[in-house]
Amino acid sequence: MTVKLTLPTQSKMLSKDFVYGVATASFQIEGGTKSRLPCIWDTFCDIPNKIADGSHGEIACDHFNLWQDDLELIESLGVDAYRLSISWPRVITKSGELNLEGVAYYLNILDILISKNIKAFVTLYHWDLPQHLEDQGGWLNRDTAYKFRDYAHLISQALGNRVYSYATLNEPFCSAFLGYEVGVHAPGIVGKEFGKKAAHHLLLAHGLAMEVLAKNSPNTLNGIVLNFTPCYPESDSLIDISAAAFADDYFNQWYIKPVLDGEYPEMMSQLPTEHHPEIHEGDMAIIAHPMDFLGVNFYSRAIYRGDEEENFIQIDAPEPRTDMGWEIYPKAFAELLVTLNDKYTLPPIYITENGAAMADKMVGGVINDLDRVDYYQQHLNAVNDAVELGVQVHGYFAWSLMDNFEWAEGYLKRFGIVYVDYDTQVRTIKASGHAYKALITNR
Ligand code: FCB
């Protein structure tokens, strides 16, 4: 059976300028934990019952040792770009200096990417906060934003002109809400009063780092990566519609609006004052530093019902669903992009993550993940629909290059277009990986 990914022949996404890539994150693939400082995810994994399969990141995909093979694998996929993240606790010492060994690890990766003509999209923070900073309050401590600025300064100087694009943060929503409000991600803090405070310090960190990057690295594309889970009402009733609007402000607009418009959604006035962030004079202007691009991560939508007591209740995702239980609803992707384009003056958009966990089976050495190919096909079509409606999308990254440590789900959920056998560390390109390669190379 041939599995193909196609786009209409006239599609702008078939132009050679459109960037196709694969994405990973340091904690999810590297391992090599003994060669760096501990981070909040090391600590979190040690707490019983936090990770579904009781696993940790000590080895993960062993990319710390296998990086050269992995770069060849990336090259073999024919991609234009590779999105990776830098592990802050690998490159900065406790006293705030560069750890030259850790820096050398990334310099080698970047130099090889350059030699292979693959653009490096570097994320500075994909959730692996140094534990010693968490011990000082982590993202609830305003000072962490300044520590991040200092890290951004040192690392952008050290990496020089090897980088094509810097993203300050990956998905501050997840860091703030999952990490400091519902506690299902590291550091596991629970309390409605904490989420927005952590979010503000993350956004401040972003703005401060943007200032530094604009100075140190004016020729890279500098921006942020935000995740969006578009919010739909369960019915046409007013109460459901306003529940979905509230959820949208809470989860989505809360991050994009300050970054682009320099203010939080008006909905803040409906939150108890104890839940408000602590905003200092000048913060919002820093947060709204102009950006060269916006990274958009999309996986699914959410459906809400209104409720007298709670502001909103999320209802169970309808089928079809991925192995994560996330609804497959590509229409929301196109609608999201078009809506953002209507609401905001957007910089160029890169889809920095999109993909699906599926219950892959290796049969006779082959992973025929037609469900994942289908997911990619539908979502590429959705992006193309948005592009046709005038949204400036300049690139698309599959999440993920390879199966990896999927946070609270451990190794149970496979998002890769390459299969990883965690016993042998052998990588096998899945049908989706072959299809993605064919789409890219046949342009
Ligand atoms: C995103 C994360 C990424 C990965 C995917 C499935 O929220 O940025 O690391 O876990 O979800």
Side-chain angles (χ1 to χ4, degrees), residues 132-147:
H132 67 96
L133 295 181
E134 181 56 37
D135 297 341
Q136 310 290 317
W139 290 111
L140 293 174
N141 180 352
R142 184 179 169 91
D143 195 43
T144 300
Y146 296 92
K147 292 275 171 27

Side-chain angles (χ1 to χ4, degrees), residues 28 126-127 170-171 174 297 299 326 353 399 406-407 415:
Q28 294 180 277
H126 202 126
W127 307 355
N170 176 71
E171 303 189 349
C174 290
N297 293 355
Y299 290 92
W326 298 347
E353 285 180 29
W399 182 273
E406 179 44 40
W407 309 113
F415 271 93

Side-chain angles (χ1 to χ4, degrees), residues 179-241:
Y180 291 85
E181 189 166 328
V182 291
V184 296
H185 276 191
I189 289 169
V190 182
K192 283 202 163 171
E193 67 276 36
F194 299 129
K196 300 298 188 217
K197 293 185 174 65
H200 184 68
H201 295 149
L202 280 150
L203 291 168
L204 178 64
H206 154 75
L208 292 167
M210 284 299 297
E211 294 179 349
V212 160
L213 292 171
K215 238 190 229 151
N216 287 2
S217 192
N219 297 324
T220 50
L221 294 180
N222 303 326
I224 192 170
V225 170
L226 300 179
N227 61 302
F228 294 87
T229 306
C231 302
Y232 288 72
E234 186 185 24
S235 77
D236 289 343
S237 72
L238 266 184
I239 179 165
D240 287 351
I241 291 173

Side-chain angles (χ1 to χ4, degrees), residues 47-87:
I47 305 172
N49 304 321
K50 293 295 185 193
I51 311 298
D53 58 357
S55 64
H56 50 68
E58 277 168 33
I59 299 174
C61 305
D62 201 20
H63 180 71
F64 183 66
N65 293 305
L66 302 177
W67 60 276
Q68 279 164 303
D69 296 341
D70 287 337
L71 292 180
E72 272 171 35
L73 174 68
I74 292 168
E75 181 181 32
S76 81
L77 291 169
V79 292
D80 309 306
Y82 173 43
R83 175 171 177 243
L84 69 153
S85 79
I86 306 265
S87 163

